[in-house]
Amino acid sequence: MSQAPATPEATRRQHDREIVALAVPAFGALVAEPLFVMADSAIVGHLGTAQLAGLGVASALLTTAVSVFVFLAYATTAAVARRVGAGDLPAAIRQGMDGIWLALLLGAGVIAVALPLAPGIVDIFGASATAAPYATTYLRISSLGIPAMLMVLAATGVLRGLQDTRTPLYVAVAGFVANAGLNAGLVYGAGLGIAGSAWGTVIAQYAMAAVYLTVVVRGARKHGASLRPDAAGIRASAQAGVPLLVRTLSLRAILMIATAVAARLGDADIAAHQIVLSLWSLLAFALDAIAIAGQAIIGRHLGAGDTAGAREACRRMVQWGIAVGVVLGLLVVAARPLFLPLFTSDPTVQDIALPALVIVALSQPISGVVFVLDGVLMGAGDGPYLAGAMVVTLAVFTPVALLVPGLGGGLTALWGAMTVMMATRMLTLWLRTRSGRWIVTGATR
C-alpha cells in the first residue's frame, strides 16, 4: 500500500523543524566564538592600557586571518552534505578529512609567516611604541594556535555537513569556559601577563581541535573511511575553497572601505560607526545561523538528487530569513535607547549613531534574504558565482561609499551605501536562484 504524499503544510513543518534544529545550535556556536576575544580583553585590560592596546592590534590581525580561511568550514559543509545526501557516509567523512588536512597545511604556512614577521606586521597596523611589544608577543604565541583554529573550522564544516550543529555548540561553549579559566590562571596566577593570555587561548584551541578530531576519527573508523592525507582530495578541497576565499576577501574589502570612509568623517563619526557596525555584526550571527542550516540542508537534498526538495527548502528558508529580519529590525528600533548608552555617554556620538541604527533596522529583511541565499548557493557548491557576485557588489559599493564625504554626507549616508551594497547582493543572489542554474545534483558538483 503506497504512502500518501505529504501535504504542503506537512512539508513546511518538516522544513521548519530541520531549520530550527540546525540553526539554533549554530547560532549559539557563532555567538560563543567572539566571546574568546571578549574574555581576553576583560582579563588583559586589568594589566594596563598598553597591554590592552597590544591585544587589540594582535586580536584584530588574528580575527582577520581566521575569517579569510572561513571557506574551510563553508566548502567542507557543502561537500560533506552532498555525500550524505547520496548515502555515502564513508566518502563524506573522507571528504571532511581532506578539508582538515588542508587546514593543517594552511595553518603551518601561517606560522611560518607570522613568527618571523610579527614585529613588522604589528608596525604596519600602527601599534604605538608602548603597545607594539605586547602586540608582537601576543601575535607570535597566538599564531602557534592557528593550525588548531583552522582545523576547528574544517571539522565544524564536517559536522555541519553531517547535519550536526549541536556538537560544535558544546565544543564552543566548553572552549570559551576553558579559555577564560586558563587565561585568568596564567595571566595572574602564574604571573605571565599578556603572554599567559595568549598561551591560554592556544591551549584552549588545541583542546577544541582534539575534541573535534576525536569525533571525526571515531566516525571514520565506524564507516571504514581512510584517515591518511590524500593529495588529490586536498587539492580538490583547496580548489573548492578558492572562489569562497575571493568572496570573503571582497566582503572584507567592503567593510574596510566603510571604516576608512567613516574615519574621514571625523572622530565622532568613526566612534558611532564602530557602535553601529558591532550591532550589525551581532545581527549577522542570527541570520548566518539560518545560512548554515541552508548549507547543510541544500547540500543533502542535491546529493540525494531531490531537486524539488531543494527548491522547497530554499523557498521556506527565504521566508524564515525575511521573518527573522523583520523581528531583528523591530528589536533594534525598540532597543536603541538602551543600546547606545552601553557604548558611549557622548551625546554627539549617540546623535550620529541613532539615524544610522534606523537604517540598519530597516535593512534587516534584505539582510535576511541575502544570508539565506548565500547559504543556499554555498550548499549547492556554487562558489564561482558567489565570488563573481561579491566582486560586482564591491565594484558597486566602492564609488558610492567614496562619494559620501565629498557630497557632505555623514554616517547615515554611509550606512545608506551599506544598504545599497546589501541590496546589490540580494539582486545578484536572487537572479541566480531564480535561474535554477545552481541546481546540480549528485555526490559531487
Side-chain angles (χ1 to χ4, degrees), residues 83-297:
R83 299 280 191 180
V84 170
D88 192 349
L89 280 176
I93 297 173
R94 171 68 263 176
Q95 188 95 42
M97 284 304 305
D98 292 335
I100 292 172
W101 279 113
L102 176 61
L104 185 60
L105 292 173
L106 291 173
V110 172
I111 289 177
V113 172
L115 284 179
L117 299 182
I121 296 172
V122 167
D123 286 341
I124 290 172
F125 277 78
S128 68
T130 54
Y134 297 111
T136 301
T137 296
Y138 192 92
L139 182 59
R140 276 184 166 154
I141 297 172
S142 292
S143 68
L144 299 176
I146 290 285
M149 295 169 73
L150 300 189
M151 284 192 290
V152 165
L153 284 177
T156 299
V158 175
L159 295 182
R160 288 173 180 172
L162 294 171
Q163 317 296 296
D164 176 10
T165 56
R166 289 183 177 273
T167 300
L169 170 62
Y170 300 148
V171 175
V173 172
F176 166 71
V177 173
N179 178 66
L182 285 166
N183 282 7
L186 293 175
V187 170
Y188 297 110
L192 297 180
I194 195 169
S197 177
W199 281 117
T201 300
V202 168
I203 293 169
Q205 288 161 349
Y206 275 100
M208 292 170 66
V211 172
Y212 275 120
L213 287 175
T214 300
V215 173
V216 174
V217 168
R218 187 179 298 156
R221 288 176 175 168
K222 178 180 178 181
H223 296 286
S226 173
L227 298 172
R228 294 179 179 179
D230 176 66
I234 294 171
R235 187 164 54 250
S237 294
Q239 290 171 346
V242 168
L244 296 181
L245 175 61
V246 173
R247 168 199 168 274
T248 300
L249 290 174
S250 299
L251 179 57
R252 297 296 302 183
I254 287 170
L255 297 177
M256 289 175 65
I257 290 169
T259 300
V261 170
R264 291 178 61 187
L265 297 175
D267 290 348
D269 290 86
I270 185 63
H273 175 71
Q274 288 304 113
I275 294 172
V276 178
L277 184 62
S278 66
L279 177 62
W280 187 79
S281 300
L282 178 63
L283 298 174
F285 285 133
L287 298 173
D288 202 25
I290 306 175
I292 288 169
Q295 294 170 30
I297 293 170

Side-chain angles (χ1 to χ4, degrees), residues 311 429-439:
R311 288 182 182 277
L429 297 174
W430 176 77
L431 289 173
R432 184 64 167 182
T433 51
R434 187 169 179 264
S435 73
R437 294 176 183 172
W438 57 280
I439 299 179

Side-chain angles (χ1 to χ4, degrees), residues 277-348:
L277 184 62
S278 66
L279 177 62
W280 187 79
S281 300
L282 178 63
L283 298 174
F285 285 133
L287 298 173
D288 202 25
I290 306 175
I292 288 169
Q295 294 170 30
I297 293 170
I298 294 297
R300 192 190 72 233
H301 279 298
L302 293 179
D306 184 6
T307 58
R311 288 182 182 277
E312 180 56 37
C314 174
R315 188 178 302 112
R316 188 57 178 163
M317 281 184 286
V318 168
Q319 294 170 354
W320 268 84
I322 294 172
V324 172
V326 170
V327 172
L328 292 176
L330 292 173
L331 288 174
V332 170
V333 172
R336 284 179 306 159
L338 301 174
F339 178 76
L340 286 173
L342 292 176
F343 287 85
T344 179
S345 58
D346 188 334
T348 302

